[in-house]
Every structure is written in C-alpha cells, then in structure tokens.
C-alpha cells in the first residue's frame, strides 16, 4: 500500500468511527431520555447555572455521560430513590419516570465502573473500646466494663469503629493503660492478696436471670453479678449499712421471714433464715444497735477460688398460704414499694440495691482459673525454669495479641517488663502480670494498621494475616482466632471458597453477636434507649429492659440465623415475655421468660412494630412523626433528610394556656409555611403513619391528652396515599432492592472502617444484585463485601477519591 493509500486508510478509519458515533447518538439519546425528561421538567428550575441550588447546575452536565459527573448523579439517585427531590409542594414526576431515570443512571454508572477499582486508603486505627474489651476477653478471659473503664468514642453515622475518628489523646492513653493494668491483675490474680471491700450495685434483670424456685426480680428480690475473686480464700457477702436495708421508722425489711440463699456458679454455698417476729423485736427494741445486729445476721461467708464467678444472692420463693402476715390493712405496703401487689409483705426485701464483697480472708494461693490457663502455657517447677517459661508466655501471648507471629525483639522488650515485675513480692506471678500489662499496652495490640509504602501510588492486596484481622474485627469485633491465624499462615484464607467457609463458621460463633451489638444497633440508632425518659408513670426501667431484650433477640433471629435481611421489615415473629406482651396488647403469653412468638397482628411485624424503635423515635412526653419519619428515611430507605436550618424553631409543644391538640394538628400548622413544608412534607408522612403507636410502643386509637382520634393517613411526596404501619411496611417493600441496598451500604461502612463514597456505589449495587437470587440472605451480602477489592486491598496513602465538583461561576 502506497503513502496515499495509507492516508486514505486512516481517513476511512476516522470516518468510520465518526459514522459509528453519529449512528449511536440516537441510541444514547433514547437511553438517556428518561433522565432528560425529569431533569428538564423538574430539576432545572432550581439546579441551573443561575440559581445553583445546592451547588448543582444540571444544565452544565451531560446527561448522556453520567460517569463524567458521577458524584452529582449518585447523589441524585439517592435523592430520587427517597423522593427527597423535588421538594414537597413542588410539581412531582410520576413514579414511573423516577424509576426510569434511576434505572438509566445506575446502569450507566455501573457499566462505566466495570474493570475499575476504587480502593480508598484506611488510616491506622486504634481499637475502640468495644473492640478492646472483646479482644481482652478473648485473649485473657477478663471482662471489663467498657463504659466505666474507657472514654466514650466519637461516632460516625452511628458507628464507633471508623478509623479517622479513632484518635488518641493523652487522657485516652492514660485510661487505656489503666484498663490494661487492671485487666492483667484480674487475669493473673493477686499473688500477695490484700483484703478489700467492693460494693456491687444491683442492675435491672428479670426473674429469668435467677434460679427456679427463687424470688428473683432485681433489685428487691435479690442480686446477681459476675465478680473476679483475686485469690483463693474466704469471702464475706454483706448488706451495706448506709441505705441498703429497709429499716426506717417502721422496719418492713425485718418483719417477714425469708430464706436467703447464695449460689456461686449455680452451686448453693449459703442458706439461712432471716427476718420474722424475732427480728422485728430486735429492730423495735434496740434501734441502731439492733440494726447492726441484724446486718451481722444477714452477712454470710463462703470459700471461693480465684477467678471470675457468677454470684446469685436471693430468696427462696414460698407460697402466700405459708405466711400469716401476707396482708396489711388497706393494701398499704403494696402502695409503697410498687410491684409487690396489694398488701403483700412477704416480698419486702432485706437487700435493697447492692451487696458488699469483702476478702480474701486467709488467702491460700491462686487456683487455675480460666484466665490463668490462657496465660500460663507453662509452669516453672524450679527457679531456673522461670525465665524460659516467661519467654514462652510472652511469645505465645504476643502472637495472639499482635495478630501476627511475635518476633525475638518483641519478646525481648516484654521480658524487660517481666524482669522488673519479678522483683516484687509476688515473684514469678508478679513478673507475668507486668508482662501481660505490657502486651495490652503495646501499640501492636492497641492499633490495627494496614500500611502502604511511602511512595506507593497503587493499591495493594492485603496479606493473609491482615485479611484475617480485618475479617475477624468485622464479624466479631475482636482479633482472629487460631483457625484464622493458621489459614493465614498457610496463605489460603484469601481463597474465595475458604473465605466463604470461614464466614459461615464465624456467623455461627457466639462472638458474632458483636454484629448485633456494634453493627445493627448502631446502624439503627437503638443502642441508647435511655436517651428517652417517658413521663408515662406506667413506664419503668424493667420495660426499657424488655425493649432492649426484644430488639436484640429479633435482630439476632434474622442476622445470625442467616435469613433474608428483608425479614427485618416483614418478619411476623418477635420475642416477648408476659410484661412486654401486655404492653403490646397480646394476652396469651405467660411468665417472665422471653420466648419467640408468632404475630397475628400485622401492625407489629418487623422493625416498625418494635417498642425499641417507637421509644427511640419519640420524646419523653409525646410521639414525634418528625423523628420517626427521619428514622424511616435514613435508616430503612437509606436517604437521610437534611438537618433543619439553624435558628429554626422546632418546638411543637403546647403553648401555656393553649388548648391541647394532637401532634398531627401542630405539625400541619407548622407546615403551612412553604419553606417548612419543603422538608416536612417529605419527612413527616412516614412518621404520621406510625402515629397510632404512643411513645412507649402501645397502640392507641385516641390521643388521650387531646381527646381526639388518631389520624394515621398520609400522602407521600410521590402522591401515594398510605394509612398506618401496615401500608407503610408494604410501601417499603414495594421496591425489593431498596432496603437490601441500605443494609449493604451500612454493612460496607462498618466492614471497611470508613465512610462509603460515591465511587463505592457500583460495588454496593453489584453485591445487592448478586444477592437477589438468595432473597438477600445476610451471609451472601457479607461474602460480597469480603470478596471485593474494597475489603481485600489497601489504597495508597496519598489517594484521594475523585470528587466531581462544578465550580460556581460569578
């Protein structure tokens, strides 16, 4: 071919390409027509190069090339899926047009993302307090009260495991070091034990926490607690004198005979009769000195071995027919304490709110507790064995704690601390205590790191050890167990089939409950029910505890039994005891124990019918359609509304002297302003559909305060009319992939320890599509995440996710 032929050939190629481009233009225009229709008809009025509403001008964007402005269009998808835009009160596109635009945008963005890998850098992060406590428990068998021992974490969208928020200040470090030293001493025990007195406060628990045949029901019926005994020896269990025995002017706590029992790990160690006529005579006759005498009679002793034990101090239940003093005229006693029934005094307790544990008295060594068994992998029989044994303990413990094989330099650093402790009176055990403290204080334990080279410009695969750690903290909130470490050492964990098998195994392990406690409750904002204190006098701490138990059992029954995540919305079962069943208007549940109950009332199906949700989305004195609507939009649909503008009056309380009206009536008055309705018209409708539930989860047809019927009918921004929770639930399920997308997005954030970016959304949608054939089973969503590049790779430190921004012109 000559030169002219070559030029002609290249010209023909260019002409062919141009012809193909021209030929495809109508196809592109046809595919983008739904997006053009919505943007031109409903968006450009505000989002244009003149007004720049929300900092977006859609007339500057090419709708046929969504990938060129991916961040803008991903945000548009979110707004459209939640029907947050156009604002309420403005002309709305049909649901068909919205669905077509969303389908086009998602398809275009997902197609453009094929073959691309957007891996973000996750910075070094310390263990949050939940992870610290769980890892210490797994490592040395010691439970620490996280809220008491460690500072409150900064939460990002409900999660406390987001790397960028896990900073470390000097005060944080002091508290972590104190917690580490305390844990080490509890685990090893006290080689030279000192006499100490510890007050154990009673906490709320139901009768199911106590042995059958005992009175139960804390705190008035007894107390149950877990305690680490520092050494083998005798321990005294006392009732504190200050204010824990009901012996005032009329000593009700002494008048009724009862049988006190103390059990250690379920084994009875003390049984004694207390109270009755003789006790009452002493209290009446001797006053303060009589009080001390009776306290001494209540005090009990038992031999206990070192280590953690469960202790129950309660009373034998007895028939009312056995009591000659079962009633007091006029029901006076029942009216004082509450919860005992009219005139019943046989339930009046000696123990009020706490007990004291004093000891050890005459200590005699340290038994092989569970904690010591985990630490002391060897036992020296002579002095020359001690240092080699200590080195073995250091290497074994550090390997587990650091989540990698411990090096010789690691061991030598730890042995310096052992040598210092060995000089204390406790000898070898004191040295090991210092060694354990050093391990728990080490940056290798306190921090999770996924390092990259300083000059790295590309993402890198995680090592198998790093992958084991990331997987374990994701599913268990603690470090990898020996099975994961062995697979990592063999470099097989990264194989998809092996990973899937491990996910299955780990979800069946008790440690997977961390997904309920730290993921699900955080995502749903149900981890702090004490934030709401209802003014309803019938609501008490026991009912709040019932709500907490129900929501945990319900979430576990879906997530940890590997059901479809859509069951969180539609499940026709829950977990109730008699008290909670009565609160819900269910009459065929008896007893204090929680059990799975099949629901016949559709209003109680799924999350929308749970007391925990209804309480958390209310105020103390009233319901809040605004809070409930925002919760549905943000936590279920995944399209959180914007926060209210600053200086906006959000008080819907009844003004002094004004007639009491329903919350709905006050909201309608508030929404008369177009600027208010723009947001409230979107937020309020889902909340109004739940208005028949009061702020303690009970169903009502009438607002008792306003003396007016409840109207739960509402109109969504799409124009759809719904009434009540049943129709709202069906509306949420009408788009099958919407809720699974919300779950997957939040699960990915939790798994990756970072916020989900717009570049992650094609991956989220792919995981959801792949899970559709399994009806969105929880484990399938998890496997989609753990087998993704986002989970298995670490981005370069200098990487900044590309953001599509359009500068505003003057």
């Amino acid at each position: 071919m000559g030169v002219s032929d070559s030029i002609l050939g290249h010209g023909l190629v260019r002409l062919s390409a141009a012809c193909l481009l021209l030929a495809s233009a109508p196809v592109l225009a046809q595919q983008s027509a739904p997006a053009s229709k919505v943007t031109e008809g409903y968006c450009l009025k505000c989002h244009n190069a003149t007004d720049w509403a929300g900092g977006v001008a859609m007339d500057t964007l090419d709708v046929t090339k969504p990938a060129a402005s991916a961040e803008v269009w991903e945000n548009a998808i979110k707004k459209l899926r939640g029907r947050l835009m156009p604002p309420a009160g403005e002309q709305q596109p049909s649901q068909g047009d919205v669905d077509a635009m969303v389908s086009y945008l998602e398809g275009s963005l997902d197609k453009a993302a094929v073959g691309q890998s957007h891996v973000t850098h996750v910075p070094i992060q310390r263990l949050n307090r939940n992870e610290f406590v769980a890892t210490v428990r797994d490592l040395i068998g010691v439970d620490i009260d996280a809220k008491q021992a460690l500072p409150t974490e900064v939460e990002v969208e409900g999660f406390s495991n987001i790397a960028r928020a896990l900073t470390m200040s000097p005060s944080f470090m002091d508290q972590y070091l104190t917690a580490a030293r305390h844990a080490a001493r509890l685990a090893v025990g006290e080689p030279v034990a000192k006499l100490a007195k510890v007050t154990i406060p009673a906490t709320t628990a139901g009768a199911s926490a106590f042995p059958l045949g005992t009175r139960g029901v804390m705190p008035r019926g007894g107390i149950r607690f877990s305690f680490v005994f520092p050494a083998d020896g005798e321990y005294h269990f006392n009732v504190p004198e200050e204010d824990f025995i009901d012996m005032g002017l009329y000593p009700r706590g002494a008048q009724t005979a009862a049988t006190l029992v103390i059990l250690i790990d379920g084994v009875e160690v003390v049984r004694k009769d207390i109270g009755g006529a003789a006790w009452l005579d002493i209290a009446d006759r001797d006053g303060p000195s009589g009080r001390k005498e009776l306290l001494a009679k209540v005090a009990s002793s038992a031999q206990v071995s070192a280590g953690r034990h469960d202790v129950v101090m309660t009373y034998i239940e007895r028939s009312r027919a056995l009591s000659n003093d079962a009633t007091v005229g006029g029901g006076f006693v029942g009216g004082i304490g509450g919860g005992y029934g009219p005139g019943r005094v046989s339930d009046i307790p000696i123990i009020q709110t706490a007990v004291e544990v004093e000891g050890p008295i005459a200590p005699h060594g340290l038994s092989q507790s569970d904690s010591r068994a985990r630490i002391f992998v060897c036992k020296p029989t002579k002095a020359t064995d001690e240092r080699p044994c200590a080195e073995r303990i250091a290497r074994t413990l550090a390997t587990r704690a650091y989540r990698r094989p411990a090096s010789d330099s690691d061991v030598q650093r730890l042995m310096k601390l052992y040598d210092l402790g060995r000089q204390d009176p406790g000898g070898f055990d004191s040295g090991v205590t210092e060694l354990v403290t050093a391990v728990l204080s080490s940056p290798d334990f306190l921090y999770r790191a996924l390092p990259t080279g300083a000059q790295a410009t590309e993402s890198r695969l995680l090592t198998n050890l790093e992958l084991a750690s990331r997987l374990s903290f994701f599913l268990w909130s603690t470090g990898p167990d020996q099975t994961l470490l062995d697979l990592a050492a063999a470099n097989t964990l990264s194989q998809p089939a092996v990973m899937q098998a491990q996910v299955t195994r780990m979800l069946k392990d008790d440690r997977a409950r961390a997904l309920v406690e730290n993921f699900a409750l955080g995502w749903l904002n149900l981890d702090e029910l004490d934030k709401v204190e209802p003014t309803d006098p019938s609501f008490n701490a026991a009912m709040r505890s019932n709500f907490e138990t129900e929501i945990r059992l319900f979430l576990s029954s879906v997530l940890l039994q590997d059901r479809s995540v859509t069951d969180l919305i539609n499940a026709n079962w829950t977990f109730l005891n008699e008290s909670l069943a009565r609160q819900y208007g269910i009459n065929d549940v008896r007893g204090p124990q929680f059990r799975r109950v099949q629901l016949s009332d559709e209003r109680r199906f799924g999350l929308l019918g749970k007391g925990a949700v209804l309480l958390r989305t209310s105020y103390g004195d009233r319901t809040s359609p605004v809070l409930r609507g925002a919760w549905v939009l943000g936590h279920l649909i995944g399209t959180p509304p914007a926060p209210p503008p600053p200086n906006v009056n959000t008080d819907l309380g009844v003004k002094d002297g004004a007639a009491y009206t329903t919350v709905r009536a006050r909201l309608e008055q508030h929404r008369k302003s177009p600027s208010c309705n723009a947001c409230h018209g979107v937020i309020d409708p889902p909340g109004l559909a739940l208005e028949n539930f009061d702020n303690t989860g009970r169903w009502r047809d009438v607002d008792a305060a306003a003396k007016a019927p409840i109207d739960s009918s509402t109109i969504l921004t799409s124009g759809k009319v719904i009434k009540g929770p049943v129709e709202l639930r069906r509306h949420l399920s009408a788009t099958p992939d919407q809720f699974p997308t919300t779950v997957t997005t939040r699960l990915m954030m939790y798994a990756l320890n970072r916020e989900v970016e717009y570049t992650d959304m094609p991956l989220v949608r792919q995981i959801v599509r792949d899970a559709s054939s399994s009806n969105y089973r929880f484990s399938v969503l998890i496997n989609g995440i753990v087998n993704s590049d986002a989970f298995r790779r670490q981005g370069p430190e200098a990487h900044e996710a590309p953001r599509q921004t359009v500068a505003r012109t003057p």
Side-chain angles (χ1 to χ4, degrees):
M1 180 182 290
V3 174
S4 58
D5 293 328
S6 176
I7 295 174
L8 179 60
H10 287 297
L12 288 172
V13 170
R14 288 196 297 272
L15 181 60
S16 298
C19 290
L20 287 172
L21 183 60
L22 289 172
S24 64
V27 176
L28 291 173
Q30 182 179 5
Q31 291 175 341
S32 62
S36 299
K37 179 180 178 181
V38 173
T39 54
E40 292 172 6
Y42 303 93
C43 304
L44 291 180
K45 177 182 176 182
C46 300
H47 299 290
N48 54 66
T50 301
D51 296 314
W52 286 87
V56 176
M58 289 191 173
D59 54 356
T60 67
L61 307 178
D62 186 350
V63 75
T64 67
K65 300 177 182 178
S69 305
E71 184 175 15
V72 174
W73 293 117
E74 288 288 2
N75 192 47
I77 290 170
K78 184 181 295 185
K79 299 286 187 182
L80 289 168
R81 274 187 172 267
R83 295 304 298 251
L84 304 183
M85 285 290 169
E90 299 290 336
Q91 185 181 5
Q92 299 289 325
S94 70
Q95 189 62 50
D97 286 342
V98 169
D99 291 343
M101 180 175 181
V102 168
S103 178
Y104 163 72
L105 290 175
E106 290 183 344
S108 299
L109 293 169
D110 293 350
K111 183 177 180 181
V114 173
Q116 298 186 25
S117 178
H118 298 285
V119 180
T120 300
H121 176 79
V122 179
I124 186 173
Q125 66 185 94
R126 65 171 169 82
L127 303 186
N128 66 25
R129 66 180 184 180
N130 292 327
E131 292 167 342
F132 180 89
V133 167
T135 308
V136 167
R137 183 192 307 119
D138 280 354
L139 195 64
I140 58 176
V142 168
D143 278 309
I144 302 171
D145 187 333
K147 293 182 178 179
Q148 294 292 327
L150 298 171
T152 302
E153 305 288 4
V154 174
E155 291 188 353
V156 180
E157 298 183 37
F159 297 139
S160 61
N161 70 336
I162 304 305
R164 67 176 178 82
L166 290 169
T167 57
M168 178 71 86
S169 67
S171 62
F172 266 49
M173 181 58 75
D174 284 344
Q175 287 175 275
Y176 270 81
L177 293 178
T178 300
R181 180 166 294 280
H182 177 61
R185 287 177 173 171
L186 290 177
V188 175
E190 295 286 350
V192 183
K194 299 176 182 178
L195 182 67
K197 184 184 293 185
V198 179
T199 299
I200 309 294
T203 56
T204 302
S208 58
F210 292 85
L212 293 175
T214 63
R215 189 184 301 167
V217 187
M218 292 172 22
R220 295 183 180 272
I223 182 171
R224 179 173 185 158
F225 57 94
S226 182
F227 187 75
V228 177
F229 294 84
D232 297 2
E234 180 182 343
Y235 289 85
H236 291 178
F237 301 91
N238 310 314
V239 177
E241 181 178 356
E242 292 79 11
D243 61 351
F244 300 125
I245 185 168
D246 189 7
M247 292 181 59
L249 294 177
Y250 184 76
R252 296 185 299 134
Q255 68 182 344
T256 305
T259 302
L260 173 70
V261 291
I262 299 177
L263 300 95
I264 307 291
D265 294 333
V267 177
E268 184 180 311
V269 295
V270 172
R271 178 184 288 242
K272 62 168 58 175
D273 294 328
I274 61 175
W279 281 48
L280 187 58
D281 288 343
I282 294 172
D284 286 341
R285 182 185 67 239
D286 299 335
S289 63
R291 177 188 179 98
K292 291 183 179 294
E293 181 180 348
L294 295 182
L295 284 169
K297 290 177 177 290
V298 174
S300 305
S301 300
Q303 291 287 330
V304 188
S305 61
R308 179 172 296 279
H309 299 282
D310 289 327
V311 182
V312 172
M313 192 171 179
T314 186
Y315 309 97
I316 298 294
E317 185 63 68
R318 60 181 182 158
S319 169
R320 299 289 173 256
L322 296 178
S323 177
N324 293 324
D325 53 1
T327 60
V328 176
F332 169 73
V333 176
I336 294 177
Y340 303 117
R344 284 164 47 183
V345 298
S346 59
D347 277 349
I348 294 174
I350 296 295
I351 302 169
Q352 287 286 299
T353 56
V355 296
E356 289 176 347
V357 179
E358 183 179 11
I361 298 165
H364 47 84
L366 294 168
S367 296
Q368 183 74 334
S369 65
D370 174 62
S371 292
R372 287 179 63 87
R374 298 183 190 211
I375 295 169
F376 290 87
V377 294
C378 55
K379 295 179 181 178
T381 56
K382 55 184 182 294
T384 55
D385 292 340
E386 288 187 356
R387 188 171 180 82
C389 180
E391 289 182 350
R392 184 179 170 190
I393 290 172
R395 188 176 299 277
T396 302
L397 190 63
T399 294
R400 291 162 51 207
Y402 298 168
R403 304 172 285 277
R404 59 169 175 77
S407 65
D408 291 342
S409 60
D410 291 327
V411 174
Q412 292 311 308
R413 280 193 295 271
L414 295 173
M415 290 304 295
K416 293 178 182 179
L417 278 299
Y418 163 81
D419 290 337
L420 289 174
R422 178 65 182 80
Q423 300 172 22
D424 292 340
F428 178 75
D429 280 5
S430 293
V432 173
T433 299
E434 293 302 313
L435 188 156
V436 174
T437 302
V439 168
L440 300 183
S441 304
S442 169
D444 293 280
F445 172 73
L446 290 176
Y447 285 90
R448 294 168 54 196
L450 300 173
T452 52
Q455 304 301 319
T457 59
E458 299 291 337
S459 66
R460 69 164 182 87
L461 277 171
L462 302 185
T463 67
N464 272 257
L465 281 171
E466 291 169 335
L467 191 59
S469 182
R470 191 170 224 185
L471 178 65
S472 185
F473 278 104
F474 172 27
L475 300 184
W476 288 347
S477 292
T478 186
D481 63 358
Q482 195 59 50
T483 299
L484 287 175
L485 290 175
D486 289 345
L487 290 170
N491 287 323
T492 58
L493 180 61
S494 56
Q495 297 173 9
V498 175
M499 178 69 78
Q500 183 172 347
Q502 288 307 300
V503 167
T504 300
R505 175 184 74 89
M506 295 173 74
L507 288 177
K508 293 179 181 178
D509 191 285
D510 284 344
R511 284 168 286 191
R513 293 190 181 276
L515 283 169
V516 172
E517 295 294 325
N518 302 330
F519 163 65
L521 292 178
W523 151 46
L524 296 169
N525 193 28
L526 300 177
D527 51 346
E528 294 180 320
L529 296 189
D530 57 352
K531 294 287 187 181
V532 183
E533 191 62 55
T535 56
D536 185 336
S538 69
F539 187 87
N540 54 30
M543 186 56 64
R544 192 193 315 276
S545 177
N546 287 340
F547 286 173
E548 292 171 342
T549 300
E550 179 195 24
I551 196 64
R552 283 176 166 85
L553 291 173
F554 175 69
L555 291 169
S556 296
S557 73
V558 176
L559 303 183
L560 302 187
Q561 293 181 19
D562 196 20
R563 300 184 65 92
S564 167
V565 296
T566 60
D567 284 344
L568 293 173
I569 300 291
N570 296 314
N572 63 351
W573 71 84
T574 191
F575 295 81
L576 304 174
N577 63 4
E578 183 176 356
S579 176
L580 185 55
R582 286 199 307 268
Q583 185 81 355
Y584 288 172
I586 299 173
N587 300 315
D588 55 353
V589 177
R590 298 288 182 268
Q593 294 81 15
F594 274 81
R595 80 295 309 262
R596 180 171 170 143
V597 175
Q598 200 78 10
L599 297 170
S600 58
D601 184 353
E602 285 194 65
R603 299 174 300 186
R604 289 290 176 186
F605 283 12
L607 287 168
L608 296 180
K610 300 294 174 283
V613 172
L614 300 166
L615 173 67
R616 190 67 180 92
T617 54
S618 298
Y619 293 110
D621 60 342
R622 64 174 175 85
T623 59
S624 175
V626 179
L627 292 181
R628 288 178 175 177
W631 187 87
V632 170
L633 288 171
H635 298 283
L636 302 186
I637 301 178
T639 56
N647 303 319
V648 171
N649 182 15
T650 59
D651 182 16
L652 290 178
V654 178
K655 303 294 188 294
D656 290 342
Y660 197 98
T661 58
T662 64
V663 174
R664 182 190 186 103
R666 280 172 264 165
L667 271 176
E668 289 175 346
Q669 183 68 29
H670 186 71
R671 289 205 307 268
K672 285 184 177 179
S673 166
S675 61
C676 295
N677 188 55
C679 292
H680 280 277
V682 176
I683 300 171
D684 298 353
L688 288 169
L690 300 173
E691 187 62 5
N692 282 109
F693 293 117
D694 73 7
N695 61 344
T696 66
R698 291 175 299 197
W699 183 266
R700 57 187 183 157
D701 294 307
V702 175
D703 185 322
K707 297 181 176 61
I710 299 292
D711 181 6
S712 62
S713 62
T714 187
I715 303 176
L716 303 176
T717 48
S718 63
K720 183 175 183 178
V721 178
I722 61 172
K723 181 177 182 179
V726 175
E727 292 186 13
L728 175 60
R729 177 174 55 79
R730 290 172 181 167
H731 167 70
L732 294 175
S733 301
T735 305
D737 67 340
Q738 183 64 54
F739 183 65
T741 298
T742 301
V743 177
T744 304
T745 303
R746 305 294 285 166
L747 192 62
M748 180 174 285
M749 179 178 176
Y750 180 80
L752 301 181
N753 311 115
R754 65 168 174 82
E755 292 164 286
V756 172
E757 300 174 345
Y758 73 92
T759 52
D760 296 309
M761 292 312 299
L763 171 60
V764 169
R765 290 190 287 267
Q766 183 61 53
I767 292 171
V768 173
R769 283 194 297 271
D770 291 345
S772 63
S773 60
S774 71
N775 193 25
Y776 310 107
R777 274 192 10 249
F778 187 54
S779 67
V780 178
L781 298 179
I782 288 177
N783 276 299
I785 291 172
V786 301
N787 284 305
S788 69
D789 279 353
F791 190 86
R792 289 170 169 258
R793 302 184 75 91
Q794 165 74 315
E797 192 167 352
H799 170 74
E800 292 291 341
R803 295 190 177 274
Q804 304 294 334
T805 56
V806 181
R808 180 171 180 173
T809 56

